[in-house]
Every structure is written in structure tokens, then in C-alpha cells.
Amino acid sequence: EAVLGLYFSRDTYSEKLYIDEPVGTPLLYVHALQDARGEVPHFRLGQHLYSTYRSQPHKNDWFQINEDTGLLYLNQSLDQRALEKLSARNGGFPLLTIYLQVFLSPKPLRESDCHWPSCAKVMLSVINTTMPACSSLKPREFCFLETGLSFRIRENKPPGTFHQFRLLPVQHLCPNISISYQLLGEEALPFYSDKDTMEVNMRHSLDREEKEKYELIAKCTVWEGLREEVVMVPFPVTVYDEDDSPPNFPNGINTANAVVEYKRKEGTVLAVLQVFDADVVPSSVDIPRKYIHTMLTSDPLVNEFFRVEHSPNETSYNSNGSRVRAMMHDYKLVLNRSLPITESHSFQLGVLVNDTDYQGPGGVLHLYFNVTILPVSIRFPNISYSFSVNRNAHRYAQIGKVCIENCKEFHGVNITYKLQSLSVNCTALGIITTPESTTGNLFVNDTSMLQRPECTGMKYLVIASDRQSKKQSRTTSTISVEGNFFPEEEGCPISCAVNKRRSECEECGGLGTLMGTCQWRQGDGKGISKNYSTCTPSLKTCPDGNCDAVESRDLHICPQDCIRGDIIGGHERGEWRGIKAGYGVCNCFPEKKKCFCEPDDDKEPLCDEVCRMVI
Amino acid sequence: ARRKRARLRHQPCGLRELEVSVSELGLGYVSDETILFRYCSGTCEAAARIYDLGLRRLRQQRRVRKEKVRARPCCRPLAYEEEVSFLDSRNRYHTVSELSAKECGCV
């Protein structure tokens, strides 16, 4: 944590350095700005010269700084020999840049942590020639360096001088060139440059919440005899933020209502309250430590089942025609655990939000969540289910779904369905619970029962129960068996998906077929598509991109949705399993855990030692 | 040309390679990327076993008629390249395994 105090107006200064420049050549000024009035900077150079590749630093024998003015100058000429000595330490890389560190604190710091605001780097581009003659320099070279300018100024701090336009080495060696500088930009800007000293100053302190970036233009005019040259470069100033605004509620909303009914799953977001803060400090790294929220409750139930999640996002607002960044903090009330269905409760939860960086009044806010937890009951709709099943249906044929009231709304409630046969010896059906949609899937479990004359009309009791509360609901379901039985074709595969042609597909049965025969899906034949041709027990459920609870019982039912093994040919895999898209016809061999997707080309000439060239 | 054909016919079974675009493979993938497709080709006459001679004779005598039988060894990959990935025209990646042969042999 840096102690506030004086700070540099830039984090990096640069200048060119030629060989054999005379002793006393001024290089540049560094500038420090005040944190409080009356502070006086004392500049201090680091002990070492560094090169860009973190090789061994060299002791600084050439440069000195004026402690009070911040003027960096040569106190010993850098000659060819010295350069060779420095280059030798550069790990074999050519020496292009050396840098020094300038500190603002009088007490010697560890040199390794040179960070803005209390330390700045001075980069010196080493040029392996002597200074060129004044006449050979271009106007641009008298005015600005190639490295761009950019400045950092903290808001709410006393104004001060933060830049010196003059390039000291050039002007020191070519005193006859006359130059003037000017700042262009909007009127009434808080910056001005002094004609005589060529320094840039501030008129008053700045406020980031008003304007965050000043895009100025520095103009330099050079007169060489009668010739006049103008050079312009961008001169951006960034205003640095401090925590000077308290958090507040956008639109004054500090209360949100939350109702917990069917969605009781852990992680459900129940309500969101927003807190606006015009500051962009603390930074995102520090926000969790400095933006603290506390749930004001002693109720163990609330603490166990609810939590508040804080997510800060950067927004921006308009201030006199310029965009200024700000923070919007979202406070979400989230279920910490799945709530039992019997729970019924209502309460107000207060949340205290504290912007600890803010030193004024109003840094603490109160958020209120009015929470109502409603109990939900497990109830079947007031009807008896009736389904019909074809006598030729195969095992795992899906004949219908049962579902408690509002079952589509339920989240985080564990419902299981069970069947009890009310007609003795007719246990033809089974039921499987689909956990994600809390429905029960009725399917044929024993096909031999469908042939029995006493089982033409079956009655079942369907029981839905909540695993957690053991609450139950019951209803009845009648099943009528319809159609005439006709025996199975010879030599048909167990799985519909094995068939590759429409004719084979429609004359065979397979696991999961409702009427005893498989169904053919004709695809669109457009490359690798979701709508591929395939043979399936039931077009309603397979392939639909979802390996449902019944299909996952046995890979033979619908490998198109459930395969995890190899898919050979042009295809796209489903996210978890199955074939999402295929090329041509997709057929599968469940025993081998393999599927094939390829167009069915009957007419492909078979040319395998059979064809002979007929001349 | 005939000389060349004759020479090719007696090339022993081995790896050949071909630079093809993914679309040319006709798998349904649309992509302009080219891949190196290695395949097995060549004769396997020298690899015939007495099994092959016996089976051929039995087939001539119509003792083996119903099923498809192969009475000569065949030049096939013994190992395949692990994976080939490419980007298709809709900017999606696909990875196919065992597309290209790595090693050939008479089986």
C-alpha cells in the first residue's frame, strides 16, 4: 500500500544520449506534483544503471540529478570505452537503452521496487555516434522525442508544474534555434504553457468525476532564419481517481422483494439490488477487501439458506459531453442451499454495504430484501391418467408421461415416481423419473404381459414423493392394450438403429418401438446436418438430441442420442453424448459402441479387382 | 503407359501419400484446408499362405459358395494416424481420428 504523498507526473521519462556529450549537458527535468500544499520534493537517483535485459546493473558514474529542481545532467562524459563496458554487461544483446530510477523519498528504498507514484524510470536511448551538427537536425528533432507524451494527474490535488517542453540536450548544443511551444485544445482548459519557461502548469485542481481524460495537442514552432516549421503531437493527460464519492442507490431503490416458491435450487438468484459509485477505485483486485457487505441477521435459518453475492461492473455516465467511468455494484440474494418444500417463512433481510475507502459521511448503505418463502405441495391434477399401448410394443416403448401440478416450474426439488399394479399379475409397465423436468416416464417393461388376455385393461397406482420431506401424492392410471398381435419378422436386429435402409427399417421392430416396427426419418441431405436420415423406434423421442431417462437404460434403444463411443464419417458430436449432426444416413452398432454416418450410395460402382478394362 | 502400369502392379504393399483438400474426402466436411492423406497400396502376392491356395481350390469346387470369402491377402493399414484437425468453412474445428494410415501390411 503506497503512502500518499508527492507523485511523479509520468512513470517514464525518456531522452536520447549520444557518445561524448560534454560534462554538464542537461538531459531532462522530472516533475513531482503535490498531494498536499507545502510539500517539497527531494529527487534522488538510484545507485545503478540498468539495461533492458535484466542483466547485472552497473554503478551509475555518469548521471546526477539536482535534488531540488529535478534536473538530470551528465557529470561525466559517456565515451566509447564506457559504452563498451556497459554493453559487455548486456548479456550479449546490443545496448540500445539504459535506464535509471528516480525516487521521491529521502529514505533509501529497496531499488528493486520502482513503481509510480514514488519512483519513475528515465529511459535513455543510447546512440552510438556523437551528436549530429545542428544544421543536419530536422525541426521535429528540436521539438519532441519520438516517444509519445502522456501524463498522470491525481484529482483533488494542488495544481503544479508537470512538464518542461524543451529538449535540453539539443537546445544546449544548438542555442541559436528559436522555438516556441503552445498547447491547443478546448478553451478554458485547466492547463497552460508558459511562453518563457516553456513549462506546462495547471490552473486549478482536477476532478475525475467531471472529466477523465484531456486530449490536448502540443504545438511547436521552429524558426530557422526566415523558415518557420510547425510540428504537432498529441498531449494526453489522464486524471487519476481517488475515493471521493459515497456509494448511492440508482433511482433511490434500496428494497427488493423476493419470493421463493417452485425454484428452490441452490444458486437461484432471488433478487438484485444495485449500488452506484462514481469512483473507479478501489481497483477490482481490492474491491472484495474494501467493499464489504454484511448480512444483518442472527437467524441461523437465514444464514444457512441465503447468501448475498456481490459483483462489481464498470459502467460509464455522461459528464458535460465526455464519458466518465464509474462502478455499478450488483448485490444478488442467492439461495445457499436447496430449500425444503415444507419451509414457510417471511422476513426482511438487511444487508450493510460499506465502502471502506471512502473517508466522508455516507460511506455505509443499508439494503433490504423482503423475502417470502412459500411452501409448495405435491399434488397430482384431479384426473385419472389413461394411456393406451399397442399390443406389439417392444420393451422400453414410452407410452406417456405423468407429472404433478406445476412440475415444469420445479427446480431443486427431488420428486420420484413409483408404480403399483392394481391388477394382479399384470406388471407390464415401469416408470422412470426424469430429474431435470420432474416428470415420470411410463414405459413397457415386460412385453409378455401385453399378450395376456387378462391384461387388456390394466390399472396402476402412481405415487409421487418428495425425497426430502417424504410428502406423497397418489393418482390412478388405466392402461388399455390395443391392436392385434402379429409375430416378429425373422432375423431383425435388437436395435432399430442398426438398419441402414428405409425398407429394412420399416419392416423390423426393435427396443423402444411403440407399434412393433421401427420408424424411418428422412433427412434433408444437406451436408452435415442435424436432420440426418436414420432409423429409430419413435420419431417423438429419438433422435431429439437428448438421451432421456428411458433411453439411457439401454444403448440399443437410441444410440443416436446416447452413444459415447466412436462416430465414423462426417459428423458433429453432441455436447455430452450422441450424434448432434451427421452426413447422409447414420446407423449404429450398439454392441460395438460405434455409429457410422455416410450417404447411402447404392449406385457406387464396385471396382475392386472385379472391373476389367473392356477394350 | 503400359510399362508404367506394369511396374505399378508389382509394387509391394506400402504407404503412399496424397495431398487432398478436406472437401475432396467426401465426408461432408466443407473446408479448403489440405491434409496429407496416406493410404496403403501395392500387391500382396508374396504374402499368400497355403490357406489361400486351399480356399481358392475349395471355392472353385463350389464347396464354399454362400459367403463372401477372400482367398488372397490384402494390403491394409496396420496402424493409423491418431488425429487430424481442421477448420471448416463455418469456422468450426473438427477432429477426425484414424483418417490416415501410418503403417501397412499384408493381412
Side-chain angles (χ1 to χ4, degrees):
Chain A
E1 198 57 20
V3 183
L4 287 184
L6 288 158
Y7 66 96
F8 282 105
S9 60
R10 303 174 71 172
D11 67 337
T12 310
Y13 291 86
S14 21
E15 190 44 86
K16 287 181 188 162
L17 186 65
Y18 292 95
I19 305 282
D20 292 334
E21 286 188 76
V23 174
T25 303
L27 293 168
L28 54 90
Y29 282 101
V30 294
H31 292 90
L33 287 163
Q34 294 172 334
D35 182 55
R37 286 189 192 281
E39 286 177 331
V40 179
H42 293 284
F43 299 104
R44 198 173 52 76
L45 267 191
Q47 302 266 323
H48 293 100
L49 278 182
Y50 300 86
S51 53
T52 36
Y53 298 98
R54 296 194 165 267
S55 50
Q56 274 191 313
H58 194 282
K59 200 167 169 312
N60 170 24
D61 298 328
W62 295 272
F63 305 96
Q64 267 199 348
I65 197 162
N66 181 316
E67 183 180 312
D68 303 320
T69 61
L71 174 67
L72 185 77
Y73 58 93
L74 273 173
N75 74 331
Q76 184 186 326
S77 181
L78 188 89
D79 55 18
Q80 195 68 45
R81 267 196 50 223
L83 186 62
E84 277 163 21
K85 199 153 70 172
L86 287 171
S87 304
R89 293 207 174 186
N90 204 26
F93 297 98
L95 186 73
L96 302 171
T97 312
I98 50 177
Y99 69 87
L100 297 133
Q101 297 174 343
V102 192
F103 295 92
L104 266 173
S105 55
K107 59 175 193 299
L109 271 163
R110 285 220 319 280
E111 283 216 7
S112 54
D113 13 329
C114 177
H115 296 294
W116 186 85
S118 58
C119 176
K121 284 181 180 169
V122 178
M123 309 296 261
L124 299 164
S125 312
V126 182
I127 296 159
N128 200 351
T129 60
T130 52
M131 179 80 152
C134 291
S135 55
S136 66
L137 287 171
K138 294 186 195 73
R140 208 203 136 82
E141 293 175 283
F142 288 112
C143 293
F144 304 108
L145 292 166
E146 284 88 12
T147 46
L149 297 166
S150 80
F151 301 92
R152 308 174 171 198
I153 294 174
R154 286 180 163 164
E155 65 171 344
N156 311 329
K157 302 295 180 223
T161 302
F162 64 93
H163 182 54
Q164 164 61 257
F165 271 129
R166 276 186 303 180
L167 299 183
L168 305 180
V170 181
Q171 299 195 11
H172 178 72
L173 290 156
C174 314
N176 300 337
I177 307 285
S178 66
I179 294 189
S180 84
Y181 291 97
Q182 217 185 328
L183 268 186
L184 309 177
E186 302 151 72
E187 280 293 297
L189 280 169
F191 311 106
Y192 67 95
S193 74
D194 187 299
K195 280 249 180 309
D196 305 322
T197 61
M198 302 194 194
E199 284 176 333
V200 186
N201 288 291
M202 296 155 64
R203 293 180 208 277
H204 55 76
S205 58
L206 306 174
D207 181 3
R208 189 203 68 93
E209 281 72 40
E210 273 176 30
K211 195 164 167 61
E212 197 165 21
K213 214 165 164 93
Y214 292 89
E215 308 273 4
L216 308 176
I217 288 173
K219 177 179 160 190
C220 163
T221 317
V222 186
W223 289 275
E224 283 182 290
L226 292 174
R227 272 184 52 224
E228 176 186 313
E229 287 262 10
V230 175
V231 181
M232 298 205 234
V233 296
F235 189 94
V237 178
T238 307
V239 185
Y240 273 52
D241 192 27
E242 66 172 14
D243 202 335
D244 59 346
S245 328
N248 61 51
F249 294 109
N251 315 323
I253 298 163
N254 67 344
T255 309
N257 297 327
V259 178
V260 187
E261 194 170 7
Y262 297 112
K263 311 235 177 314
R264 307 173 91 90
K265 198 180 167 70
E266 188 270 317
T268 307
V269 178
L270 303 168
V272 182
L273 276 172
Q274 291 193 308
V275 169
F276 177 82
D277 192 324
D279 294 311
V280 286
V281 290
S283 65
S284 53
V285 180
D286 291 337
I287 277 181
R289 260 189 320 119
K290 300 193 166 175
Y291 237 92
I292 302 163
H293 65 272
T294 330
M295 282 166 55
L296 304 171
T297 177
S298 53
D299 186 341
L301 175 122
V302 177
N303 272 318
E304 182 185 359
F305 284 104
F306 295 89
R307 66 174 185 258
V308 171
E309 284 183 4
H310 170 208
S311 53
N313 300 302
E314 194 174 271
T315 61
S316 65
Y317 62 91
N318 217 329
S319 156
N320 304 332
S322 72
R323 295 308 288 174
V324 176
R325 295 173 307 138
M327 294 299 280
M328 189 68 89
H329 301 267
D330 287 355
Y331 287 93
K332 297 179 192 155
L333 183 68
V334 179
L335 272 184
N336 202 26
R337 276 185 52 194
S338 297
L339 265 171
I341 57 166
T342 48
E343 200 61 61
S344 159
H345 199 33
S346 74
F347 58 93
Q348 184 177 64
L349 172 63
V351 178
L352 187 115
V353 170
N354 189 355
D355 174 4
T356 57
D357 253 9
Y358 179 68
Q359 298 303 325
V364 178
L365 291 180
H366 281 87
L367 281 52
Y368 298 100
F369 291 106
N370 294 326
V371 185
T372 312
I373 307 171
L374 299 171
V376 289
S377 52
I378 290 184
R379 251 203 329 262
F380 273 111
N382 220 346
I383 46 160
S384 171
Y385 288 97
S386 64
F387 297 107
S388 67
V389 55
N390 186 286
R391 209 174 291 279
N392 298 290
H394 280 241
R395 196 173 180 205
Y396 296 122
Q398 299 189 41
I399 57 173
K401 287 183 177 171
V402 293
C403 177
I404 52 169
E405 270 182 359
N406 304 313
C407 66
K408 294 273 178 287
E409 317 266 321
F410 276 95
H411 268 282
V413 184
N414 264 324
I415 308 286
T416 44
Y417 294 89
K418 283 199 181 65
L419 277 187
Q420 262 178 29
S421 177
L422 297 175
S423 19
V424 190
N425 297 340
C426 289
T427 50
L429 303 187
I431 195 163
I432 290 184
T433 311
T434 307
E436 55 270 19
S437 60
T438 56
T439 53
N441 255 351
L442 283 163
F443 67 96
V444 175
N445 199 17
D446 187 345
T447 48
S448 65
M449 301 268 178
L450 299 180
Q451 271 56 268
R452 292 190 187 174
E454 70 266 28
C455 293
T456 39
M458 293 180 272
K459 251 184 129 69
Y460 284 95
L461 191 63
V462 188
I463 305 153
S465 53
D466 168 44
R467 203 175 301 175
Q468 205 173 2
S469 66
K470 303 281 183 285
K471 292 225 177 285
Q472 285 193 347
S473 173
R474 291 155 184 255
T475 189
T476 52
S477 164
T478 54
I479 317 284
S480 56
V481 184
E482 293 169 352
N484 297 322
F485 178 72
F486 46 86
E488 180 80 41
E489 286 272 336
E490 282 292 301
C492 274
I494 306 170
S495 172
C496 289
V498 171
N499 302 303
K500 214 182 155 160
R501 296 224 167 83
R502 185 172 195 144
S503 53
E504 296 163 357
C505 173
E506 288 173 342
E507 66 195 20
C508 270
L511 277 191
T513 49
L514 289 161
M515 310 290 243
T517 55
C518 301
Q519 295 180 300
W520 180 257
R521 181 173 90 170
Q522 188 58 46
D524 52 21
K526 287 187 193 135
I528 298 173
S529 97
K530 289 196 169 90
N531 189 2
Y532 52 88
S533 303
T534 194
C535 182
T536 150
S538 163
L539 287 169
K540 273 197 301 232
T541 52
C542 170
D544 61 354
N546 166 32
C547 185
D548 66 42
V550 177
E551 288 167 355
S552 59
R553 275 285 180 96
D554 189 330
L555 189 58
H556 287 85
I557 307 164
C558 183
Q560 294 96 323
D561 279 341
C562 301
I563 185 103
R564 286 178 195 269
D566 287 338
I567 304 166
I568 292 154
H571 73 277
E572 224 180 295
R573 239 172 217 291
E575 210 151 314
W576 307 105
R577 33 172 51 184
I579 309 169
K580 187 171 153 195
Y583 184 47
V585 183
C586 293
N587 70 322
C588 299
F589 299 99
E591 264 94 11
K592 296 263 184 291
K593 295 192 170 59
K594 264 188 188 177
C595 288
F596 292 85
C597 290
E598 66 175 322
D600 187 16
D601 298 337
D602 281 346
K603 297 160 215 64
E604 201 174 81
L606 196 73
C607 207
D608 168 16
E609 301 175 60
V610 184
C611 289
R612 291 276 181 265
M613 287 267 290
V614 184
I615 303 163
Chain B
R2 184 182 295 219
R3 281 270 279 298
K4 195 175 172 190
R5 253 207 312 275
R7 210 172 4 178
L8 276 176
R9 204 177 302 147
H10 290 288
Q11 286 261 322
C13 172
L15 267 184
R16 313 274 188 271
E17 56 185 45
L18 202 57
E19 215 174 277
V20 294
S21 82
V22 173
S23 299
E24 281 178 303
L25 291 166
L27 299 170
Y29 298 111
V30 182
S31 165
D32 293 337
E33 285 195 37
T34 52
I35 54 165
L36 194 62
F37 183 75
R38 291 201 177 91
Y39 61 98
C40 295
S41 155
T43 62
C44 280
E45 286 159 2
R49 293 177 172 82
I50 192 141
Y51 159 85
D52 295 297
L53 307 184
L55 186 55
R56 251 179 269 171
R57 294 285 162 239
L58 289 171
R59 197 170 54 191
Q60 278 171 2
Q61 296 161 36
R62 304 289 168 97
R63 292 289 307 275
V64 180
R65 280 172 60 195
K66 286 267 182 346
E67 322 93 299
K68 264 188 118 158
V69 294
R70 236 198 118 75
R72 55 185 58 205
C74 183
C75 180
R76 290 281 301 165
L78 301 175
Y80 295 88
E81 292 289 350
E82 284 293 306
E83 283 179 346
V84 179
S85 295
F86 53 87
L87 188 68
D88 74 4
S89 60
R90 286 191 283 170
N91 290 327
R92 283 181 312 189
Y93 275 101
H94 298 276
T95 301
V96 285
S97 49
E98 303 190 334
L99 174 62
S100 190
K102 204 155 95 178
E103 190 188 332
C104 300
C106 291
V107 288

